[in-house]
Amino acid sequence: MIGSANAAASAETTAKMAAADWAIKQDEIKKDSNGQWAIQATASSSYNDAQGAAGFSANQATGAPNVEKYGDNDAAWTAKTPDGGIEWLDLKYPKPVHATEVRVRESNASGAVIKIEFYDEQGVAHAVWQGNDPTTELNYLMVKFPKTTFKTDRVKVTLATNVVPGWNEIDAVQLVGTDQ
């Protein structure tokens, strides 16, 4: 009996430490002085054709993360239909920067992002990442790359919603970069 009590206590301690690590990571990301959150967004589609500030609209992916638990939440953007194929979210940021990282906060049916593009000051798209999204649960797809030679204030995130079953939802997207 004592062994199982110790094992339970150990598991609880491990879970608490993981929760504390998660909170510290969230705080660091939210307070990153080189990070900025989107101020405008458009999408290929939105659940229930949501527009403006309505739940599930593209604008739900603007600002800092506000979905606290993994699962369906109208405070995140989602496409009109689940598992429909290619969908995208296009985000605008307050100031153009030489980008070094993008952090996509996925909040439901995570793992469907297949491409991230930036638009330069002439409006030309540059793919900075394309691949298999390893994200699971409520977490970030964090894509780091060499500093762009151009400035950008626009990020496009493309998903293949048929890759991960269910409503693929994005809570927020942070653009990280510097003026120089």
Side-chain angles (χ1 to χ4, degrees):
M1 245 0 211
I2 291 174
S4 65
N6 285 342
S10 178
E12 184 178 337
T13 299
T14 301
K16 284 181 180 178
M17 288 175 61
D21 287 345
W22 170 252
I24 290 167
K25 176 182 168 186
Q26 296 306 303
D27 199 47
E28 287 172 358
I29 289 171
K30 288 179 183 177
K31 292 180 178 175
D32 186 340
S33 62
N34 289 325
Q36 55 181 325
W37 301 102
I39 55 172
Q40 293 177 321
T42 58
S44 52
S45 71
S46 292
Y47 177 74
N48 213 21
D49 296 319
Q51 299 291 317
F56 299 115
S57 72
N59 283 321
Q60 293 300 327
T62 61
N66 61 349
V67 174
E68 298 304 323
K69 292 186 188 300
Y70 183 75
D72 190 32
N73 190 314
D74 71 356
W77 167 76
T78 194
K80 185 177 181 99
T81 59
D83 315 324
I86 301 300
E87 297 281 355
W88 51 262
L89 183 62
D90 195 329
L91 304 117
K92 183 112 167 70
Y93 295 82
K95 71 177 191 184
V97 294
H98 291 282
T100 58
E101 185 175 3
V102 161
R103 299 169 180 151
V104 181
R105 170 82 175 252
E106 299 178 57
S107 56
N108 194 52
S110 301
V113 176
I114 58 166
K115 182 164 58 171
I116 296 176
E117 298 169 279
F118 292 146
Y119 288 83
D120 65 24
E121 294 162 303
Q122 285 71 46
V124 176
H126 301 266
V128 293
W129 179 83
Q130 197 163 347
N132 239 350
D133 177 359
T135 310
T136 59
E137 300 295 318
L138 178 65
N139 215 330
Y140 289 91
L141 169 62
M142 299 201 294
V143 178
K144 295 182 182 187
F145 39 84
K147 181 168 60 173
T148 58
T149 57
F150 56 89
K151 284 188 169 184
T152 186
D153 65 354
R154 189 172 155 212
V155 174
K156 184 177 180 181
V157 178
T158 302
L159 296 84
T161 63
N162 57 315
V163 171
V164 179
W167 296 99
N168 311 104
E169 298 181 16
I170 295 180
D171 178 25
V173 180
Q174 187 182 44
L175 172 62
V176 181
T178 59
D179 286 331
Q180 302 297 324

